[in-house]
């Protein structure tokens, strides 16, 4: 990244990530160590979304059936991941990752129970 002075008490760090020739992501960090709280925000929202997905998709899978709910959880995961790929600031990236994590929580929960239900008792530990 490149550094330049923005004010007397902070340093701006512009991070430029080139994914392809058509997509460039730039994030502007307003303080020298501002990435630490931003990384914590991204991680916190990811785990919050994952926890909500684990809890929510258990009830949704019980109500609508796990075979029909797994594709919905996969679609939510793909939507969140695509949103995270297309974002250009940390807040929207964190929110998109929480949407993806919500779907991931559903996929983990539903597939675990679905495999346990589809395998017979002789194949379970």
């Amino acid at each position: 990244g490149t550094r330049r002075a923005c004010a007397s008490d902070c340093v701006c760090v512009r991070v430029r990530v080139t994914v392809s020739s058509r997509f460039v992501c730039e994030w502007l960090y307003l303080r020298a160590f501002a990435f630490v709280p931003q990384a914590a925000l991204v991680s916190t929202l990811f785990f919050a979304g994952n926890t909500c997905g684990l809890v929510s998709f258990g009830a949704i899978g019980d109500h609508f059936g796990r075979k029909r709910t797994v594709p919905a959880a996969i679609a939510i995961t793909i939507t969140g991941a695509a949103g995270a790929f297309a974002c250009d600031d940390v807040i929207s990236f964190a929110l998109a990752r929480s949407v993806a994590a919500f779907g991931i929580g559903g996929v983990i929960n539903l597939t675990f129970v679905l495999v346990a239900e589809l395998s017979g008792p002789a194949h379970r530990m």
Side-chain angles (χ1 to χ4, degrees):
T2 59
R3 292 180 181 259
R4 64 182 171 85
C6 344
S8 61
D9 62 341
C10 74
V11 174
C12 290
V13 179
R14 183 175 300 271
V15 177
R16 183 180 185 132
V17 178
T18 305
V19 177
S20 69
S21 61
R22 300 183 68 193
F23 182 76
V24 176
C25 182
E26 288 188 2
W27 289 348
L28 181 64
Y29 297 108
L30 296 178
R31 291 190 178 83
F33 296 103
F35 63 91
V36 174
Q38 291 172 349
L41 173 70
V42 171
S43 295
T44 300
L45 288 180
F46 180 86
F47 287 114
N50 196 345
T51 302
C52 292
L54 284 167
V55 173
S56 299
F57 274 104
I60 293 169
D62 287 343
H63 188 268
F64 292 106
R66 289 172 200 37
K67 287 183 183 179
R68 286 191 277 170
T69 312
V70 169
I74 292 171
I76 291 170
T77 302
I78 292 170
T79 302
F85 178 76
C87 74
D88 59 352
D89 64 308
V90 175
I91 300 298
S92 62
F93 177 74
L95 293 175
R97 289 255 312 167
S98 68
V99 171
F102 182 79
I104 290 169
V107 171
I108 291 169
N109 188 6
L110 294 170
T111 54
F112 179 77
V113 175
L114 189 61
V115 168
E117 287 177 346
L118 293 177
S119 63
H123 299 296
R124 298 181 199 159
M125 287 193 203

